[in-house]
Amino acid sequence: MKMTPQLLKAAEKMKAGDISRDGFFGRDERDLAAILDEQHAACLRLGVSYERIAREMRRIGHAGAGGFGAPVEVDGKWSVIVDENRGKIPCPWPHPGVYQKTVYTVENLRTGRSARYSELTIHMIFTHGFFQGEGAPFYNSPATLVDVLEIAPDTED
Amino acid sequence: MVEINPFVILFAAIFTNNILLSNYLGMCSFLAVSREVKASYGLGFAVIFVMTATTALNWLVYFYMLVPAGLEHFWYIIFIVVIAAFVQLVEILIEKISPVLYINLGIFLPLITVNCAIMGASLFMIIRGYDFLQSVAYGFGAGVGWALAIVAMAGIRQRIARSNVPAPLAGAGIALIIAGIMSLAFMGFSGMIQVQ
Amino acid sequence: MIEVFISMGVIGGIGAILAVVLELADRYIANYGECAVDINDGTRTLTVEGGGSLLGSLVAEGIFIPSACGGRGSCGYCKVKIAEGGGPVLPTETSWLTPQEQKNNMRLSCQVKIREDLKIHIPPELFLIKEYRGRVTRITTLTHDIKEVRIKLLEPEAIEFQTGQYMQLTVPEYGDVEESVYRAYSLSSPSFEKDEVEFIIRLVPEGICTTWVHQFLKESDEVTVNGPHGEFFLRDSDKPVIMIAGGSGLAPFKGMLRDLARQHSTRKVTFFFGAVSQRDLYHRELMAELEKELPNFKFVPALSKPAEEDRWQGETGLITDVVGRLGEDIAGSQAYLCGSPGMIDACIAVLTKNGMPQAEIFYDKFS
């Protein structure tokens, strides 16, 4: 993929200190298009669409909302902590809409592995297929998410 | 040529020698503002007013200042300056007198400063050797003709907006074709009176 | 040679004449002189240079009419009532004004030019919104992620507000943050403390402002705040009060309770504070003191997941369960809520289920 003007604009906003303090790239120094390509390919290898990953993140995350910050057991498989914070944050892509600063911490009770992500993270994965750069505060690789959230590969039909 | 009745010139300027459709002057705002009938009325009226006033002013400036000083060759610069200053003045006046009219016309007035039809009308009146009354009649007529053309164009484009225009022609393409056809239609008038 | 001078003279002369005409027009026609703007029947009268927009002139005089678009007529927030003057409603305003508003002489202040003396009406609280410069006098760590910041006001030196309102704190550029931003925080100080303001601020992961407050802000730093804003304050009534808060949502209630204590109020107040475990609780001594000062006040902290070592004796469970246990006794009370949207929505559902009318529920959502 090439860096389109839209991607350039988004990448500009993803820098540290613009929308969030540490930005969305972490230690990843590649350009946004390369990251998107690589993460898309990773999803293909796992056999799971990024939309599905995001839907599971949302479903399991929202199921923990009743705890008001205390861990809630979801489906007997996960312990979910939902932390709602004051304020909303926009998406770096140029479209309207802001996302509540809610942070989900999902721990897989069987494996003990966990993933931490925000409402905006879910949106960026669902709509833009962007998992953020490695080392960014809410970065989870597609493989980690598939493992923690126990997402089975899409069935071909 | 000089003996033509001002009323004939007025009529000719509107129909047979429509400044927009036979001289193709003022095309940029013609294409840009002819999407809606309402906006084109606004611009049309502003053009009528400014054209009438600037032809009169420029005629006076030309024959009472440039000709006695032997500076006719400066007419382009002077006409543009006069038009620009006049539009500024009108803007200040309208803002004071009628804020509603100012809001309605306000966005069009700066457009008019750079409308080549205004400049064209002033130049034609000199080239054709009109006297003062004829010039005013010509300026007014050219303005009405321009307004008529843009309102007609806007009406057509509003209808066109709802029809199925081939994609490559949509927008400015079809507008130029329409302008061409309108121009052909107006050529039908040209046999009626001969002024030039 | 002589022709050159003649032509220069004539061209220059024509230019000069036009310039003079325009200058005269600008001075005499476009000059609207000084106009008097009378606000709220003489509450305040401004004398301003005519010709500018009403919105701009009011803001220049320190009266902050809300506006999101900066005066381009594209947000429709800056409505004011113009009782006299102002001229006809402009086409740029009509799409923002309902026929009813037009009949009531409501106008968009960014579109109204001041050309004559005006009489206008604005909500009185807009007078009070100001920008304050202050100095941090104390930063207290309340819990692992909550700090309390106290600011002494320097310029202006005093503030008028209603306890429970919020202010916006301006964050300067720091680290990678290249543009100053502002964020809203509830005031935790009572309105009788006019020369100081206090905020309770919880660290938001990745938050630009809260990170600054928690890691960069030091005592004796200068800061800028503006306000007061919002409509969250204790309503005058004899009805018992139920306060519900979580996290930094305690802030407005701290102010309200101190207000009540000063008035020696006997109003029945129960304050439910929801937290996960002991380490999220704070201001317990303060609440104990207030319980002594206020005869009918009770502080009820509730932990949803107390840790083993907490040896927690108090209420346990989600805040919604604790409030729900009150049953229908609450029907005649007023409720005040401050906290995360999820908590507030869940609490409102519990309260209304138990018979509390919506009109008696007031809240400040963190959004």
Side-chain angles (χ1 to χ4, degrees):
Chain A
M1 208 192 318
K2 230 170 67 76
M3 286 294 279
T4 61
Q6 238 205 0
L7 286 184
L8 282 172
K9 227 186 252 175
E12 196 53 40
K13 294 209 151 192
M14 288 178 191
K15 285 189 180 160
D18 196 311
I19 291 180
S20 77
R21 192 173 55 95
D22 292 340
F24 297 82
F25 287 122
R27 294 182 297 273
D28 206 324
E29 284 171 357
R30 292 171 295 167
D31 68 23
L32 179 54
I35 299 177
L36 287 171
D37 276 344
E38 184 255 322
Q39 293 179 340
H40 196 185
C43 288
L44 286 177
R45 274 198 305 279
L46 293 163
V48 183
S49 71
Y50 52 75
E51 287 99 337
R52 233 183 96 224
I53 296 178
R55 268 199 289 273
E56 282 300 294
M57 289 165 79
R58 183 173 294 149
R59 183 182 71 80
I60 297 166
H62 286 195
F68 308 134
V72 173
E73 204 174 291
V74 175
D75 296 352
K77 282 185 187 170
W78 299 282
S79 162
V80 180
I81 297 176
V82 181
D83 220 356
E84 280 186 288
N85 293 293
R86 182 155 215 167
K88 290 181 175 169
I89 187 167
C91 175
W93 265 268
H95 60 76
V98 285
Y99 304 87
Q100 187 73 38
K101 291 182 183 170
T102 307
V103 180
Y104 303 95
T105 312
V106 178
E107 191 196 332
N108 189 312
L109 294 171
R110 195 169 49 79
T111 61
R113 292 190 67 182
S114 68
R116 190 158 165 269
Y117 52 86
S118 71
E119 196 68 49
L120 178 62
T121 319
I122 302 176
H123 159 78
M124 286 197 297
I125 294 176
F126 184 80
T127 311
H128 310 293
F130 181 51
F131 291 75
Q132 305 186 35
E134 200 178 335
F138 297 114
Y139 167 79
N140 300 283
S141 71
T144 311
L145 288 169
V146 166
D147 179 48
V148 173
L149 306 180
E150 298 190 3
I151 306 171
D154 293 343
T155 42
E156 303 265 347
D157 50 11
Chain B
M1 215 49 74
V2 179
E3 314 81 49
I4 309 169
N5 186 319
F7 286 104
V8 176
I9 292 184
L10 173 72
F11 188 78
I14 300 176
F15 296 107
T16 66
N17 288 66
N18 188 298
I19 195 160
L20 210 168
L21 295 171
S22 65
N23 300 99
Y24 257 57
L25 286 174
M27 282 311 280
C28 25
S29 34
F30 175 66
L31 291 176
V33 191
S34 62
R35 275 178 231 285
E36 273 178 54
V37 173
K38 213 178 135 201
S40 60
Y41 267 124
L43 184 59
F45 279 112
V47 166
I48 294 174
F49 176 66
V50 172
M51 217 182 248
T52 315
T54 53
T55 44
L57 263 177
N58 279 335
W59 193 91
L60 294 174
V61 168
Y62 186 82
F63 285 104
Y64 289 99
M65 293 172 114
L66 296 186
V67 173
L71 293 171
E72 295 95 325
H73 50 282
F74 275 125
W75 59 330
Y76 277 81
I77 294 172
I78 293 298
F79 284 4
I80 287 178
V81 172
V82 169
I83 292 168
F86 180 75
V87 171
Q88 283 283 313
L89 190 65
V90 168
E91 214 175 329
I92 293 172
L93 271 174
I94 294 183
E95 193 183 358
K96 174 93 175 181
I97 297 161
S98 166
V100 176
L101 184 65
Y102 177 74
I103 294 283
N104 278 325
L105 271 187
I107 45 168
F108 299 124
L109 283 172
L111 262 181
I112 286 175
T113 316
V114 292
N115 188 333
C116 38
I118 307 275
M119 183 69 181
S122 287
L123 298 179
F124 277 139
M125 83 185 169
I126 303 294
I127 294 170
R128 294 175 188 169
Y130 291 149
D131 66 18
F132 184 70
L133 265 185
Q134 286 172 323
S135 292
V136 175
Y138 175 70
F140 181 67
V144 172
W146 198 91
L148 183 73
I150 192 172
V151 171
M153 181 64 165
I156 294 169
R157 285 183 78 174
Q158 277 196 349
R159 281 193 75 98
I160 288 277
R162 273 179 251 124
S163 43
N164 194 7
V165 179
L169 287 181
I174 195 76
L176 278 169
I177 292 173
I178 293 167
I181 296 171
M182 283 171 73
S183 166
L184 286 175
F186 268 68
M187 277 174 88
F189 290 119
S190 62
M192 290 163 64
I193 330 160
Q194 201 57 45
V195 281
Q196 197 83 20
Chain C
M1 197 55 196
I2 199 83
E3 292 93 58
V4 177
F5 284 113
I6 292 179
S7 47
M8 275 167 63
V10 172
I11 304 295
I14 294 174
I17 292 170
L18 292 172
V20 167
V21 169
L22 279 182
E23 186 54 38
L24 288 177
D26 202 40
R27 178 152 315 166
Y28 292 104
I29 302 176
N31 180 0
Y32 301 95
E34 286 200 330
C35 302
V37 180
D38 173 296
I39 305 170
N40 295 3
D41 297 320
T43 311
R44 202 168 151 194
T45 309
L46 310 175
T47 312
V48 296
E49 192 71 33
S53 82
L54 179 58
L55 177 71
S57 304
L58 289 175
V59 169
E61 292 287 335
I63 297 170
F64 294 97
I65 307 285
S67 163
C69 68
R72 282 174 298 151
S74 57
C75 73
Y77 288 171
C78 61
K79 288 175 191 167
V80 299
K81 184 184 163 99
I82 299 189
E84 255 181 65
V89 177
L90 301 177
T92 43
E93 296 171 72
T94 41
S95 51
W96 300 108
L97 301 169
T98 63
Q100 187 59 38
E101 283 175 328
Q102 292 195 26
K103 229 170 75 194
N104 289 337
N105 293 325
M106 294 297 277
R107 299 286 301 272
L108 291 190
S109 60
C110 67
Q111 298 299 308
V112 175
K113 272 203 168 186
I114 302 182
R115 305 154 182 283
E116 55 196 328
D117 291 355
L118 296 179
K119 280 194 164 80
I120 67 170
H121 289 267
I122 60 173
E125 59 269 20
L126 291 181
F127 276 131
L128 301 174
I129 300 176
K130 286 187 196 132
E131 189 167 86
Y132 294 85
R133 215 159 43 75
R135 187 185 302 283
V136 177
T137 53
R138 201 176 69 213
I139 300 178
T140 320
T141 304
L142 297 177
T143 74
H144 62 105
D145 64 352
I146 297 178
K147 279 191 200 286
E148 187 173 77
V149 180
R150 228 179 144 71
I151 296 165
K152 167 120 181 89
L153 299 176
L154 302 174
E155 175 74 47
E157 286 179 348
I159 179 169
E160 281 297 330
F161 66 102
Q162 278 174 296
T163 312
Q165 285 188 295
Y166 68 88
M167 292 189 86
Q168 292 181 321
L169 177 62
T170 308
V171 185
E173 295 132 43
Y174 74 98
D176 285 327
V177 181
E178 283 163 3
E179 210 176 314
S180 90
V181 292
Y182 51 80
R183 295 283 186 269
Y185 299 100
S186 291
L187 283 158
S188 59
S189 50
S191 59
F192 63 77
E193 282 179 1
K194 295 196 192 302
D195 58 340
E196 284 196 311
V197 289
E198 185 186 85
F199 303 95
I200 293 177
I201 297 172
R202 180 169 174 226
L203 179 67
V204 176
E206 280 301 280
I208 287 180
C209 184
T210 53
T211 307
W212 174 69
V213 169
H214 276 250
Q215 292 172 11
F216 291 81
L217 193 66
K218 298 183 304 292
E219 282 172 10
S220 83
D221 278 358
E222 271 202 19
V223 291
T224 311
V225 288
N226 73 69
H229 306 276
E231 278 150 24
F232 191 62
F233 48 82
L234 208 57
R235 267 60 176 181
D236 254 340
S237 157
D238 294 329
K239 289 187 177 161
V241 175
I242 295 172
M243 296 173 172
I244 304 172
S248 61
L250 183 137
F253 299 124
K254 178 182 174 187
M256 289 178 189
L257 290 166
R258 290 187 58 203
D259 239 358
L260 290 173
R262 189 183 155 95
Q263 296 158 16
H264 305 292
S265 167
T266 52
R267 200 167 167 186
K268 187 171 185 306
V269 180
T270 319
F271 180 9
F272 295 93
F273 183 72
V276 177
S277 63
Q278 186 100 41
R279 68 172 197 153
D280 300 308
L281 289 180
Y282 59 97
H283 272 338
R284 296 195 64 191
E285 301 81 30
L286 175 78
M287 292 298 153
E289 258 170 55
L290 287 164
E291 276 178 334
K292 273 182 222 147
E293 287 177 49
L294 291 162
N296 291 317
F297 168 59
K298 205 163 159 258
F299 178 60
V300 185
L303 298 186
S304 55
K305 280 264 161 64
E308 295 266 330
E309 65 271 21
D310 288 352
R311 270 176 247 110
W312 180 247
Q313 308 268 310
E315 290 272 359
T316 314
L318 292 176
I319 192 77
T320 41
D321 301 336
V322 178
V323 174
R325 272 178 230 145
L326 297 172
E328 295 180 6
D329 296 350
I330 57 154
S333 309
Q334 263 183 350
Y336 293 84
L337 290 70
C338 186
S340 63
M343 189 206 87
I344 288 187
D345 292 340
C347 286
I348 291 178
V350 172
L351 292 170
T352 45
K353 206 185 92 210
N354 284 334
M356 184 177 283
Q358 276 282 352
E360 297 290 348
I361 304 176
F362 305 93
Y363 56 86
D364 183 359
K365 254 192 215 186
F366 285 177
S367 56

